[in-house]
C-alpha cells in the first residue's frame, strides 16, 4: 500500500517548503511526506488517505493559520487518524497557546520556528513521535471495507454477496468509530449505508451488487462461475 505519511500544513509557502524539504531529507525513504498550505487542504488529503487505507504517522501543523488554527485543525484530524502523533509548529510568541494545546487537545509536542539546525531541533522530536506511533500505529488495510448498519437489509445483502464470492472484506458498523471515520472521509452520513470503500480508495454509497462485483474484479456474467 505504500509508506506511511508524515503530513505538514503551514499557510506560509516558504515555511511549508522548508519543513517539507527537511523532512524529506531525513525521512523520505521510509515515509511519504505530504505538504498542505491550508487546514482545509490538509483535511482533504487526510480524507483521501483514509479512503485509500493509508496510514498517517505524524501530523505537524502550524499554529497560526487563517480560517482554522492549528489546534482546531488537529482536533478534526484526530477524528480521521486518532493514532497519528501530533505536533504544533509555533512562533515564540505563541508558546503559551501551544502549551495549552498540549494540555487540552492532546498535542504531543510543539516546535518553535525557526527549527535550525534540524539535527538538533526537529529530527529528535520527529524521531520520538515516530517511535511512539510505531508502537500503536494503524495497520495497512488492503481489503474492501463495508460500513453499514447491523439490522439493515441492504448492508446484509452486500456482506452476503462478498462472502459468497470469497471476496475478503472488513465490516464496520456505522455507529462505531472507524465506521464514522470512513463515512466522514467519504463525505456522507449514516443514511448512505451501506458504504463500500475499495482498496484503491473509491467510495460507493448504497451500491448495487453489480457495482460491488465490478469494484471487486468479479465477472458479472452469470455463466462465469470459476475463479482464478
Amino acid at each position: 500500500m505504500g509508506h506511511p505519511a508524515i503530513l505538514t500544513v503551514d499557510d506560509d509557502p516558504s515555511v511549508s517548503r522548508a519543513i517539507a524539504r527537511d523532512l524529506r531529507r531525513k525521512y523520505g525513504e521510509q515515509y511519504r511526506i505530504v505538504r498542505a498550505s491550508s487546514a482545509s487542504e490538509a483535511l482533504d488529503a487526510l480524507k483521501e488517505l483514509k479512503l485509500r487505507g493509508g496510514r498517517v504517522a505524524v501530523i505537524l501543523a502550524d499554529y497560526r493559520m487563517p480560517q482554522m488554527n492549528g489546534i482546531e485543525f488537529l482536533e478534526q484530524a484526530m477524528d480521521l487518524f486518532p493514532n497519528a502523533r501530533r505536533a504544533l509548529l509555533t512562533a515564540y510568541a505563541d508558546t503559551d497557546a501551544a502549551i495549552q494545546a498540549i494540555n487540552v487537545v492532546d498535542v504531543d509536542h510543539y516546535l518553535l520556528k525557526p527549527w535550525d539546525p534540524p539535527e538538533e531541533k526537529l529530527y529528535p522530536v520527529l524521531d520520538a513521535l515516530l517511535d511512539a506511533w510505531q508502537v500503536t500505529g494503524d495497520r495497512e488495510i488492503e481489503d474492501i471495507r463495508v460500513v453499514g448498519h447491523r439490522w439493515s437489509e441492504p448492508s446484509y445483502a452486500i456482506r452476503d454477496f462478498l462472502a459468497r464470492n470469497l471476496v475478503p472484506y472488513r465490516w464496520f458498523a456505522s455507529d462505531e468509530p472507524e465506521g464514522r471515520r470512513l463515512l466522514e472521509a467519504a463525505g456522507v452520513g449514516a443514511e448512505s449505508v451501506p458504504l463500500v470503500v475499495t482498496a484503491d480508495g473509491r467510495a460507493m454509497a448504497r451500491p448495487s451488487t453489480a457495482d460491488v462485483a465490478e469494484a471487486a474484479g468479479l465477472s458479472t456474467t452469470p455463466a462465469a462461475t470459476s475463479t482464478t
Side-chain angles (χ1 to χ4, degrees), residues 46-48 50-51 80 180-188:
L46 289 173
K47 289 174 182 177
E48 183 177 343
K50 187 72 184 177
L51 290 175
L80 291 164
R180 287 196 296 268
R181 289 180 200 118
L182 286 167
L183 289 170
E184 181 183 346
V188 298

Side-chain angles (χ1 to χ4, degrees), residues 49-199:
L49 282 164
K50 187 72 184 177
L51 290 175
R52 289 180 175 275
R55 297 171 296 162
V56 177
V58 172
I59 301 171
L60 179 56
D62 182 37
Y63 171 68
R64 229 178 243 280
M65 293 188 291
Q67 281 86 50
M68 188 188 303
N69 69 32
I71 298 172
E72 294 164 335
F73 162 72
L74 287 172
E75 282 187 290
Q76 294 196 34
M78 286 166 61
D79 290 339
L80 291 164
F81 288 97
N83 289 332
R85 300 291 92 195
R86 300 168 289 278
L88 210 57
L89 190 63
T90 177
Y92 182 76
D94 295 322
T95 50
D96 287 346
I99 292 168
Q100 181 185 15
I102 291 174
N103 295 329
V104 176
V105 193
D106 195 26
V107 174
D108 296 297
H109 210 286
Y110 72 92
L111 286 159
L112 278 175
K113 303 177 189 179
W115 57 89
D116 294 323
E119 289 76 14
E120 292 179 19
K121 297 184 178 179
L122 176 64
Y123 298 154
V125 172
L126 262 293
D127 286 344
L129 294 175
L130 291 167
D131 286 347
W133 178 78
Q134 291 286 357
V135 175
T136 60
D138 305 323
R139 292 183 301 160
E140 289 181 272
I141 299 171
E142 296 185 357
D143 294 339
I144 286 177
R145 286 153 291 163
V146 180
V147 181
H149 191 280
R150 288 180 182 85
W151 314 118
S152 158
E153 177 62 32
S155 297
Y156 174 80
I158 294 296
R159 296 175 71 182
D160 181 60
F161 175 78
L162 291 170
R164 282 190 290 106
N165 286 279
L166 305 179
V167 176
Y169 73 94
R170 296 186 66 185
W171 161 261
F172 301 97
S174 57
D175 57 353
E176 291 176 348
E178 186 65 13
R180 287 196 296 268
R181 289 180 200 118
L182 286 167
L183 289 170
E184 181 183 346
V188 298
E191 73 282 353
S192 297
V193 299
L195 177 75
V196 175
V197 182
T198 63

